[in-house]
Amino acid sequence: MCGIAGIYRLGGAPATDSLRAEDRRVVEAMLRAIEYRGPDDSGLESLGRATLGVRRLSILDVEGGHQPISDVGERVWASQNGELYNFPQLRESLARRHRLRTRTDTEVLPHLWLDHGPRAVEHLRGMFACAIFDTLDQTLLLARDALGVKPLYWARVGEKVLYASEIKALLCDPQVPRDLDPDGVERYLACGFVPGEATVLRAVRKLRPGCRMVLTPSGIQIERWWPLPDLATDPKLAHAPLDALADETGARLARSTRAMLLSDRPVGILLSGGLDSSLVVASLPEEIRRETRTFSIGFESGGHHDERGFAREVARVLGTRHHESVVALDPARTLARVVTLLDEPCADAAAVPAHLVARAASEHVTVLLSGTGGDELFGGYRRHRLPQWLRHLAPVPRALARAGARLLGDRDQHRGSAGAERLVLVRKLLEAHGRESFFGAYLSTFEPCAPERLHEALQAELEPGAVAARLEAELSAELGGLPQDQEAQALCVDRLRYLPDDLLLKEDRMTMGASVEGRVPFLDEDLVRFASGLPRHARFGDPGGKAVLRALARRVLPAHLASRPKHGFSVPVEDWLRGPLATLAGDVFASPGSGVFRMPTLRRWQDEHRRRRDRSGPLWAALCFELWWREVAGADAAKLALAGRPEATARTAPAVPVRR
């Protein structure tokens, strides 16, 4: 639920009345830019050095859960974006020592601070980004949940520190510079998203998952509060039978899913018909499943990309109240909105259907569970088999592999069939084999375009090919050294970069953009730690990966569904760029743009793409970036406020008057 925003003033002298008034005006503008995240309520508190703001999507204690919220003595104030799934247990414990006045989970935060100070967040189990301010010593704590389900950005301008759930909110302060960060742009070009602490704006940083920031008048301290799980096999699990591991996985997933039903508003589940979302549904008791709404979406003439039939069959077998939406998609109109909601440049085309299904579901529910995270925990992607495939390709000279990848890259790759997707896989394998290190090979599976091809279209002096070495060094420092095992290295990249910086970014923005809260049962801390210690055979022992989940699925689903290969939320980008997106792309590539790309080259590539020489990867990445530059980075506060309005399907309510 919610979006948070605020300002803190560093320095020896307290904030003056004029500075506090200025901060209130800025935070009010920040909240307008993220209104869709919380259309039910609004709150703002000016408290000395800190100004705390929040937009609320009311889920727990709908009437009484106004934020920011304080302890009875109004010493400590807190606001939060997210849900604390252990809230009932925390509330019961805190009520023995403190007077609690509401049934909202956010109220536990100021009281945990009174008991534990900055270590308060170590007692939380859930998804959250929170701000806790102690008026006694003028200390502000900003913290983000262990896995990074909820976002938190910050920027420093002189002695002023701004924080918010989205970059758009930070940009409502005209003092925040909008210069592009070459490092962040290179990361985007290399991966299709921006991994790590960086963003594409030099002034804006992400608070990393499992980290907290403590701000005092004398400065800023950032530290990790949630230790990263070790991916080494737990000796107690090394020789456990697959069925026993499936038992334990199923029990932990069931506990997590039931905990995430905590809500005073209707709850539903996104059901693709794939393994992960099907297991989330199956983990519910039958009497709850019968009343649970599930949602899936398809495109008119979706063909190979349409999975509604599988979702329909799973819903029938498991007995849910299933809802199907068929979309006559207008990509040109939808894409600009999706790019604006994404808030960061992100070339994950699955954001388009993800937002559309969230919008459709918002007419019925306020909370949506999904299967996000199953592949990263249990080894479900085809690319997780890359070490094995590269060993088979070892006799092929790297130069020959690179030449073969370039040759295949000039072919039409429409992904309109399973055969076409296999051809894309072959090209990616050859591209990966052409890299000098395994880490570079693995990152090449994410890139929208090979660096040597991309250089033709870059106007700015950028080296996306250098990103792999930087990311490898970063992850090695973060973990105290990378695992020697290549499969473990792959899982490190997916869990610590791809999951929070692409998948969870998309999950958060596409649901909150429809004023719906997305929850992810696979990313319960307990389940994540257990999955981290699984032996190799529990992940890769099945030809389709996720051996332990497939063993679990065979107990509740027909065999053909339990063994179904990974499909993903695929989108016909290649066809869109030749058809419904051609005019929009042409207009964008005819503009001066951000200065990152040579627009004449992009226009030439667009023409080549029309003639069936595939250029969809770089064209899509460039189009998403330039639309972001136009709709977000280049927008003033008035335009950002307009973009922040809830869509027609969302629920709206008058804001609570601002307290001064």
Side-chain angles (χ1 to χ4, degrees):
M1 65 178 182
C2 309
I4 60 174
I7 293 174
Y8 181 87
R9 293 278 179 175
L10 302 165
T16 63
D17 288 346
S18 62
L19 285 177
R20 290 174 64 185
E22 175 190 314
D23 290 349
R24 283 197 299 270
R25 287 192 296 271
V26 171
V27 173
E28 286 170 352
M30 294 167 78
L31 294 178
R32 286 193 289 272
I34 55 173
E35 182 182 349
Y36 52 71
R37 294 186 71 94
D40 298 331
D41 188 10
S42 179
L44 188 150
E45 294 289 341
S46 184
L47 305 158
R49 291 179 179 272
T51 303
L52 310 184
V54 62
R55 291 289 330 187
R56 182 168 181 246
L57 181 64
S58 304
I59 290 175
L60 289 177
D61 195 356
V62 173
E63 299 300 325
H66 178 68
Q67 297 184 44
I69 193 168
S70 72
D71 65 294
V72 173
E74 297 193 346
R75 171 185 157 181
V76 182
W77 291 80
S79 58
Q80 180 210 178
N81 165 31
E83 298 292 343
L84 307 178
Y85 303 128
N86 63 340
F87 153 67
Q89 297 82 11
L90 288 173
R91 191 183 192 283
E92 182 181 357
S93 172
L94 288 166
R96 301 186 190 114
R97 301 182 300 282
H98 301 281
R99 181 183 161 200
L100 303 179
R101 297 162 291 170
T102 75
R103 292 181 298 104
T104 181
D105 57 345
T106 306
E107 191 181 13
V108 305
L109 296 177
H111 298 93
L112 284 171
W113 175 274
L114 289 171
D115 286 356
H116 304 287
R119 299 194 67 175
V121 293
E122 297 171 25
H123 296 262
L124 305 178
R125 176 187 163 205
M127 58 174 197
F128 59 87
C130 65
I132 305 174
F133 182 66
D134 189 337
T135 61
L136 187 64
D137 60 7
Q138 298 287 297
T139 296
L140 176 66
L141 171 76
L142 302 175
R144 192 173 174 199
D145 66 69
L147 281 305
V149 182
K150 286 298 169 184
L152 192 57
Y153 297 88
W154 65 283
R156 180 172 179 174
V157 181
E159 295 295 272
K160 179 170 62 174
V161 178
L162 302 96
Y163 68 88
S165 297
E166 297 189 17
I167 293 173
K168 283 192 288 292
L170 298 177
L171 297 182
C172 289
D173 186 341
Q175 294 181 2
V176 174
R178 302 190 181 201
D179 310 32
L180 289 175
D181 183 350
D183 174 53
V185 177
E186 287 174 344
R187 289 169 187 250
Y188 171 75
L189 295 173
C191 301
F193 61 96
V194 187
E197 181 185 342
T199 76
V200 295
L201 295 176
R202 198 187 302 270
V204 179
R205 301 290 93 176
K206 302 170 197 160
L207 186 63
R208 295 302 298 157
C211 290
R212 61 186 163 215
M213 174 189 290
V214 180
L215 299 97
T216 63
S218 59
I220 300 171
Q221 180 180 353
I222 299 175
E223 59 190 12
R224 173 164 289 284
W225 68 265
W226 192 71
L228 295 169
D230 189 350
L231 276 172
T233 299
D234 184 336
K236 296 191 295 291
L237 305 179
H239 303 292
L242 190 61
D243 277 344
L245 295 174
D247 289 341
E248 187 62 29
T249 300
R252 289 172 188 255
L253 179 60
R255 285 197 297 271
S256 174
T257 303
R258 285 197 293 270
M260 294 187 192
L261 297 179
L262 181 70
S263 174
D264 294 333
R265 304 289 287 273
V267 179
I269 300 178
L270 292 174
L271 181 61
S272 68
L275 196 65
D276 302 333
S277 61
S278 299
L279 283 174
V280 169
V281 176
S283 68
L284 295 173
E286 185 179 353
E287 65 274 15
I288 294 178
R289 285 205 305 266
R290 285 198 299 266
E291 300 303 316
T292 298
R293 297 177 187 268
T294 52
F295 300 89
S296 64
I297 196 168
F299 303 128
E300 286 186 353
S301 306
H304 175 63
H305 299 277
D306 195 338
E307 293 188 282
R308 282 175 299 146
F310 296 109
R312 195 180 308 135
E313 186 175 1
V314 171
R316 179 185 58 77
V317 169
L318 297 179
T320 69
R321 299 168 63 188
H322 192 56
H323 297 254
E324 246 179 42
S325 299
V326 184
V327 179
L329 188 61
D330 180 355
R333 187 176 66 179
T334 305
L335 183 59
R337 177 63 176 166
V338 165
V339 165
T340 304
L341 291 173
L342 280 169
D343 194 52
E344 281 195 74
C346 179
D348 190 336
V352 176
H355 179 58
L356 293 174
V357 73
R359 282 195 63 190
S362 73
E363 298 176 8
H364 306 276
V365 300
T366 310
V367 176
L368 272 174
L369 277 60
S370 77
T372 298
D375 291 304
E376 290 72 27
L377 290 188
F378 295 96
Y381 293 120
R382 288 186 301 187
R383 64 175 179 262
H384 290 156
R385 300 197 289 279
L386 185 63
Q388 174 188 349
W389 290 334
L390 290 179
R391 286 191 284 272
H392 289 312
L393 282 173
V396 179
R398 294 189 191 280
L400 183 60
R402 287 192 287 268
R406 283 195 298 272
L407 184 64
L408 287 175
D410 278 337
R411 293 172 56 95
D412 175 30
Q413 295 177 54
H414 52 81
R415 298 179 193 249
S417 67
E421 289 205 341
R422 281 194 291 271
L423 193 61
V424 174
L425 176 62
V426 171
R427 178 183 63 78
K428 285 183 171 288
L429 280 176
L430 291 173
E431 190 71 59
H433 181 51
R435 303 301 164 93
E436 296 300 323
S437 70
F438 173 75
F439 199 92
Y442 193 70
L443 277 192
S444 76
T445 65
F446 294 96
E447 64 190 16
C449 180
E452 57 270 18
R453 167 62 60 81
L454 191 57
H455 270 294
E456 297 176 38
L458 293 181
Q459 180 170 303
E461 292 187 12
L462 299 166
E463 290 293 339
V467 168
R470 288 206 299 276
L471 283 180
E472 185 172 9
E474 270 180 27
L475 275 174
S476 182
E478 196 170 328
L479 296 167
L482 283 177
Q484 293 299 309
D485 180 82
Q486 292 180 341
E487 282 86 356
Q489 286 187 34
L491 290 173
C492 284
V493 172
D494 281 354
R495 290 193 195 178
L496 301 182
R497 294 297 182 263
Y498 177 62
L499 180 62
D501 298 324
D502 183 313
L503 292 188
L504 293 175
L505 169 99
K506 178 180 67 182
E507 177 99 14
D508 172 79
R509 304 307 198 282
M510 296 303 96
T511 52
M512 295 306 296
S515 301
V516 170
E517 178 178 276
R519 299 181 180 176
V520 280
F522 275 104
L523 297 185
D524 173 77
E525 294 173 36
D526 228 19
L527 181 55
V528 168
R529 289 204 178 278
F530 174 74
S532 297
L534 286 173
R536 182 191 297 265
H537 75 269
R539 294 193 185 96
F540 307 116
D542 188 282
K546 295 193 285 196
V548 69
L549 294 189
R550 293 189 188 278
L552 192 59
R554 283 191 284 271
R555 302 173 183 179
V556 292
L557 295 174
H560 69 283
L561 291 176
S563 60
R564 185 173 162 240
K566 172 75 178 172
H567 188 280
F569 219 160
S570 57
V571 176
V573 166
E574 297 85 357
D575 295 334
W576 285 358
L577 287 167
R578 293 190 182 101
L581 283 181
T583 300
L584 174 65
D587 291 344
V588 169
F589 298 154
S591 69
S594 64
V596 169
F597 299 99
R598 290 191 178 101
M599 294 305 194
T601 303
L602 295 179
R603 292 195 294 272
R604 171 169 61 80
W605 282 358
Q606 189 180 15
D607 188 54
E608 291 173 358
H609 188 71
R610 288 192 196 98
R611 299 199 307 268
R612 301 285 170 178
R613 296 179 64 193
D614 184 62
R615 299 289 183 264
S616 57
L619 286 174
W620 179 259
L623 178 60
C624 290
F625 188 92
E626 293 298 332
L627 280 173
W628 171 84
W629 175 259
R630 186 180 76 184
E631 301 295 329
V632 178
D636 60 17
K639 185 175 180 180
L640 292 172
L642 188 63
R645 291 179 182 173
E647 296 188 80
T649 56
R651 301 148 302 279
T652 59
V656 171
V658 170
R659 171 176 169 168
R660 297 296 182 185

